[in-house]
Amino acid sequence: MRCNYCERRCRIASGETGFCRMYTVSQGVITERFPHRWSACGTSRMEAFPFYHVFPGSRSLAIGTTSCNFRCRYCSNAYIAKEDPESQQERMYHLAPREVVAMAKKMSCRTIVFNVNEPTVSLPSLMDLAAEAKAAGIPMGCLTNGFMTAESTELMASIFSFFNVSLKGISKTFGREYIGASSLRPVLRNIERLAGIRHVEVTTPVIEGANDTEIDAIADFLGSVDPEIPWHVFRLLPEDEMRDRDYPSIEAIDAALRSARERLPYLYFHNFVGSDWVNTACPACGTVAIERFSLGCGGDKLNRVLGGEGQCPGCGRAIRLFTHSPHAGDEGAVRTWT
Amino acid sequence: MDIAIVDARGWQNTLDLETGEKASVSGPAVEIVQGVLRRHPYPGDMDRGSNRWVSDTAIDLIEAYNPRFVFLTYAAQYFAGRYVPMTGEERSRMIADAFLEAQRFVDRTGFAAIAVGTGNMTPRKGAIDATAIDGLAICTHWSTRYAGLYDPSPADLALLRSHPHIESIVPREEVMTLFGGTPGQAARVPQYLMLAREGYTFKTAGVLMKTPVMIPSVNSAIPLYAPGRTVEAITGIRAILEEELAEKNVALIFMEGVGCDEFAWPFTPCRNGTRWWHYEPSEAQYLTISSGRHRFLDYPTGYKDFEEEDASKLYPFSGYFKAIPEDTFGSHFPGRSISVGNKSMFMHMVAGADISIECFARNLYNQGTMAVIHRQDKI
Ligand code: SF4
């Protein structure tokens, strides 16, 4: 049987598993192996994920599961994303959707964000959770590698109100050598689709000598989709199989971003302490509208929002912000897989 | 102004420690620190060279600043022992290496060492799942033995009190009776403090997925190396420092994750807490040693630290610290002082030394190094 959750479209025999080891075939149906088991369940600031344009400064319940459908050579969560998920189950939180939502409420979280690994490998659990969260008025967001099928993209758009899609590169060579994916075109397709219907931010970790030459091509692509997409360019920390590499040069990446900055007003460069490129400036007049501070690796924080929320303090122009209830302007139902 | 100099490898920034804003400051202390940071990139918490980095950095800083008091933490064996399964022989070798590194520092600098092991480690036997309760349980600061409990239902209390791996559940009032403190401090203390039996950890919201293989034992006593001297409890170590410093240069050395069972130098045990409370290797333990009085209440284990994490929080580089703690040893010592360590980003708060250099790592992700200059006026 074929699994159609992501573009690997694994063929799975009864009782076997696909590439991510998170689905099997049971009674002729693709089935999640470890439903409602979570590798994380704790609070985080919105800026730390990063979401710079979603409920600034708010607290979120950060959740995740295990495994991934990519095999990036520089994974920062390899101990969760690459290990056999079966071996990790004893350590997981066993929480029903009602209990996850209750946890979010007890800790006064404005949103729930799936951020540890790839949500595509746990979609049935996330559908259940979204139904419960939606009933409680809690919007959900996620970090994703964007490699899901078009059908899954629609499903995820019914689950999540906001996305941060990791666009790691564009070329076939980069996808093959660093990600273990034959093509990254589906990611581009899904960004285009999601940007039309949901709040989307994009993150690109830059590795010198690997994808730094693709910065302009990525910027062109994002500009063609929506020039106001917030784009987070990360200085990659040498981790996992690439831990012996040098730390990328901040000056060199900054220089490579110069032309992109002219086209994309919400371009940020961070993932290192004290970054100078984490504030939001008005696309029209350049006045700083939101000030942040970067502590590197998952430690960014809001300093202050200047002027009215979602408005430039200089000229009054709208600053893009997602501050809605779940799926504002949409019928709101979580789709079911067909 | 207290200055933070952060070195993210090839990217150095000078900032105001309190606000995180960029600061334009110069002077001999700043120049010394910038040079030392540039010469000593941090190899990472789990790297074999991590403890060597502590000695090398401290030696370099001593040559430039010429302090009389040095506060050092060697923590590589704590991180590795916590997460990497190893045989007894491998563990012994690792701890012996840590002591060799401390000895190299002492031999090279001639400082008189006073050394503390922060406590034995023990294999983790299992977890106490306190997630699916009506109330809220919280573990903080890498704590494994203690957790805070808020708004428990009668059913929660009955369930947790009968749990075979929970030693006791102490109400806030009893905690306050033990430590004293102000009503303001009481507000931060959890409604109940839960104590796990040795070898068990709490599993609550916010616990990291990286499950430890070894956790701190219930250490009622920890080892103190202070030739010719003994103290009854860790609160007495400060007095020894004061007396020794009257005659010689002194290095207070913390050997993280090493207790009376494995301490390589001759030692006397000293009490590591008060009544039922025993410190885990933590900021509270350091602060207690540094200030000479119990400091559980400053940031009590199991408090709702996430509620204080808003845009208005000061000291962004100092974890959950919201202010510079009072009465630290370094802040009272009139001579020059430094601290260097690879435990985490709180040395500059607990030691109170004129200059601190520490690794800038978040949950073992190596971001670089940070120095804090509290005093520029002693040069
Ligand atoms: S979600 Fe997993 S099993 Fe399904 S196609 Fe992708 S990698 Fe294969």
Side-chain angles (χ1 to χ4, degrees):
Chain A
M1 232 191 141
R2 217 175 258 289
C3 170
N4 289 319
Y5 281 122
C6 90
E7 286 292 355
R8 284 197 185 271
R9 297 194 190 266
C10 300
R11 233 177 230 295
I12 309 179
S14 184
E16 299 291 309
T17 60
F19 179 87
C20 65
R21 297 172 285 188
M22 291 293 275
Y23 295 109
T24 186
V25 172
S26 170
Q27 296 175 334
V29 182
I30 298 284
T31 313
E32 197 183 10
R33 293 176 69 205
F34 314 106
H36 309 303
R37 305 234 176 149
W38 311 97
S39 60
C41 181
T43 60
S44 181
R45 290 184 298 266
M46 222 54 205
E47 286 72 17
F49 289 116
F51 280 106
Y52 276 10
H53 291 249
V54 179
F55 295 108
S58 69
R59 189 183 309 151
S60 180
L61 187 75
I63 58 170
T65 58
T66 51
S67 197
C68 190
N69 54 346
F70 275 1
R71 278 294 174 276
C72 303
R73 285 172 56 192
Y74 50 83
C75 183
S76 57
N77 277 335
Y79 70 100
I80 290 175
K82 290 187 174 177
E83 297 241 322
D84 181 354
E86 180 128 36
S87 69
Q88 305 193 47
Q89 294 311 307
E90 185 254 332
R91 317 202 293 253
M92 308 281 279
Y93 293 97
H94 297 203
L95 294 170
R98 176 182 48 80
E99 291 170 319
V100 176
V101 171
M103 192 71 91
K105 286 185 180 165
K106 282 187 245 182
M107 298 173 95
S108 308
C109 295
R110 185 72 193 75
T111 54
I112 297 174
V113 172
F114 188 101
N115 77 317
V116 178
N117 58 316
E118 172 52 37
T120 314
V121 303
S122 302
L123 283 181
S125 284
L126 287 165
M127 283 190 274
D128 295 344
L129 176 58
E132 197 78 37
K134 209 168 260 219
I138 299 177
M140 285 175 56
C142 74
L143 272 56
T144 171
N145 61 31
F147 197 62
M148 54 278 191
T149 57
E151 307 94 285
S152 288
T153 303
E154 301 306 317
L155 186 60
M156 284 172 71
S158 78
I159 295 172
F160 299 111
S161 302
F162 49 97
F163 291 79
N164 187 324
V165 185
S166 183
L167 179 54
K168 299 167 199 292
I170 273 188
S171 74
K172 258 192 157 151
T173 326
F174 177 80
R176 254 197 318 262
E177 280 186 20
Y178 288 89
I179 308 293
S182 54
S183 160
L184 293 172
R185 292 188 68 82
V187 182
L188 307 184
R189 176 198 68 206
N190 293 337
I191 288 174
E192 274 178 337
R193 170 63 183 154
L194 288 171
I197 54 174
R198 295 285 173 261
H199 174 84
V200 170
E201 304 191 15
V202 169
T203 294
T204 302
V206 173
I207 312 156
E208 270 179 310
N211 65 351
D212 52 343
T213 50
E214 300 186 10
I215 283 175
D216 278 330
I218 295 172
D220 286 344
F221 166 73
L222 294 178
S224 74
V225 174
D226 173 1
E228 292 200 16
I229 282 188
W231 186 26
H232 303 265
V233 175
F234 268 25
R235 179 207 204 193
L236 187 92
L237 287 182
E239 292 280 349
D240 195 25
E241 294 163 40
M242 296 180 66
R243 76 174 74 88
D244 295 331
R245 288 271 189 117
D246 286 339
Y247 278 57
S249 155
I250 290 167
E251 275 91 0
I253 299 173
D254 176 45
L257 288 171
R258 233 162 257 157
S259 109
R261 281 201 182 96
E262 284 161 23
R263 284 167 284 160
L264 303 172
Y266 299 136
L267 195 166
Y268 307 100
F269 174 34
H270 51 125
N271 203 35
F272 51 94
V273 195
S275 164
D276 286 332
W277 303 279
V278 288
N279 290 342
T280 297
C282 171
C285 71
T287 304
V288 172
I290 307 176
E291 274 183 9
R292 304 182 188 83
F293 183 77
S294 179
L295 276 173
C297 200
D300 293 0
K301 66 184 278 266
L302 176 75
N303 269 1
R304 55 188 171 153
V305 176
L306 299 126
E309 197 165 80
Q311 248 189 349
C312 169
C315 68
R317 183 196 193 275
I319 300 293
R320 179 169 294 185
L321 277 188
F322 177 89
T323 52
H324 312 309
S325 299
H327 298 11
D330 148 307
E331 69 287 354
V334 176
R335 283 166 190 257
T336 48
W337 184 255
T338 48
Chain B
M1 187 203 319
D2 300 283
I3 300 160
I5 303 178
V6 179
D7 188 307
R9 302 251 189 151
W11 179 252
Q12 241 184 41
N13 269 293
T14 306
L15 309 125
D16 179 342
L17 180 73
E18 183 179 7
T19 62
E21 307 263 334
K22 302 236 169 181
S24 111
V25 278
S26 56
V30 172
E31 276 167 34
I32 286 171
V33 164
Q34 286 172 334
V36 173
L37 292 182
R38 229 173 268 128
R39 290 191 289 277
H40 300 280
Y42 183 57
D45 291 336
M46 308 288 275
D47 190 280
R48 291 177 71 87
S50 183
N51 279 346
R52 194 176 338 119
W53 175 86
V54 174
S55 299
D56 288 345
T57 306
I59 290 165
D60 197 356
L61 188 55
I62 286 169
E63 277 164 12
Y65 186 64
N66 195 21
R68 290 210 50 236
F69 174 63
V70 175
F71 188 111
L72 291 181
T73 304
Y74 292 97
Q77 69 284 351
Y78 171 68
F79 292 120
R82 194 170 167 122
Y83 291 113
V84 182
M86 53 181 88
T87 62
E89 200 180 312
E90 285 167 330
R91 184 171 168 79
S92 302
R93 203 176 320 125
M94 176 182 74
I95 289 171
D97 285 349
F99 276 89
L100 280 177
E101 197 49 58
Q103 188 64 53
R104 182 172 75 89
F105 168 83
V106 171
D107 294 345
R108 181 74 191 274
T109 61
F111 273 60
I114 290 177
V116 179
T118 60
N120 290 326
M121 302 289 281
T122 191
R124 177 182 171 276
K125 295 180 190 157
I128 301 159
D129 192 340
T131 48
I133 57 172
D134 300 326
L136 179 66
I138 295 180
C139 275
T140 38
H141 325 322
W142 286 50
S143 177
T144 53
R145 182 173 190 231
Y146 302 99
L149 178 64
Y150 297 84
D151 303 318
S153 64
D156 289 344
L157 281 173
L159 180 83
L160 294 166
R161 281 196 173 119
S162 64
H163 197 290
H165 303 140
I166 294 180
E167 187 177 291
S168 58
I169 299 176
V170 183
R172 176 187 288 151
E173 300 69 40
E174 206 178 316
V175 176
M176 292 309 292
T177 307
L178 184 65
F179 289 105
T182 63
Q185 287 175 315
R188 249 193 205 155
V189 175
Q191 260 175 290
Y192 296 88
L193 190 64
M194 299 193 285
L195 279 65
R197 291 194 193 283
E198 186 165 83
Y200 291 92
T201 63
F202 280 101
K203 184 174 186 177
T204 69
V207 166
L208 295 176
M209 176 71 173
K210 239 183 190 127
T211 307
V213 290
M214 298 274 280
I215 58 173
S217 309
V218 178
N219 288 294
S220 56
I222 57 171
L224 172 70
Y225 167 81
R229 294 179 181 271
T230 54
V231 289
E232 194 266 323
I234 59 171
T235 44
I237 295 172
R238 181 177 168 134
I240 296 184
L241 293 176
E242 281 162 0
E243 288 164 24
E244 293 282 309
L245 274 161
E247 296 164 14
K248 46 191 139 166
N249 291 347
V250 174
L252 175 62
I253 299 174
F254 286 83
M255 300 304 288
E256 198 73 23
V258 182
C260 295
D261 293 349
E262 297 172 301
F263 203 76
W265 294 347
F267 69 89
T268 50
C270 57
R271 190 156 44 80
N272 178 40
T274 170
R275 286 178 45 208
W276 49 264
W277 170 261
H278 310 301
Y279 289 100
E280 292 184 293
S282 64
E283 298 84 324
Q285 188 189 41
Y286 278 69
L287 259 183
T288 299
I289 292 170
S290 172
S291 64
R293 59 185 170 89
H294 290 294
R295 299 297 285 266
F296 169 84
L297 292 176
D298 285 40
Y299 299 94
T301 309
Y303 86 101
K304 292 185 179 178
D305 59 340
F306 57 86
E307 285 189 344
E308 299 181 6
E309 279 281 319
D310 59 17
S312 67
K313 184 192 169 291
L314 296 171
Y315 297 97
F317 309 109
S318 308
Y320 51 83
F321 281 90
K322 294 178 81 180
I324 293 176
E326 292 166 0
D327 291 337
T328 51
F329 185 79
S331 67
H332 282 255
F333 179 62
R336 289 188 192 175
S337 58
I338 64 163
S339 62
V340 179
N342 55 357
K343 171 76 191 287
S344 136
M345 299 150 52
F346 64 79
M347 289 278 292
H348 63 278
M349 285 303 202
V350 298
D354 305 345
I355 298 174
S356 288
I357 295 187
E358 54 205 50
C359 58
F360 199 103
R362 294 174 55 82
N363 293 327
L364 309 179
Y365 291 111
N366 183 6
Q367 294 278 318
T369 49
M370 175 169 79
V372 167
I373 306 175
H374 287 303
R375 299 281 298 265
Q376 295 188 74
D377 56 325
K378 291 189 189 169
I379 286 194

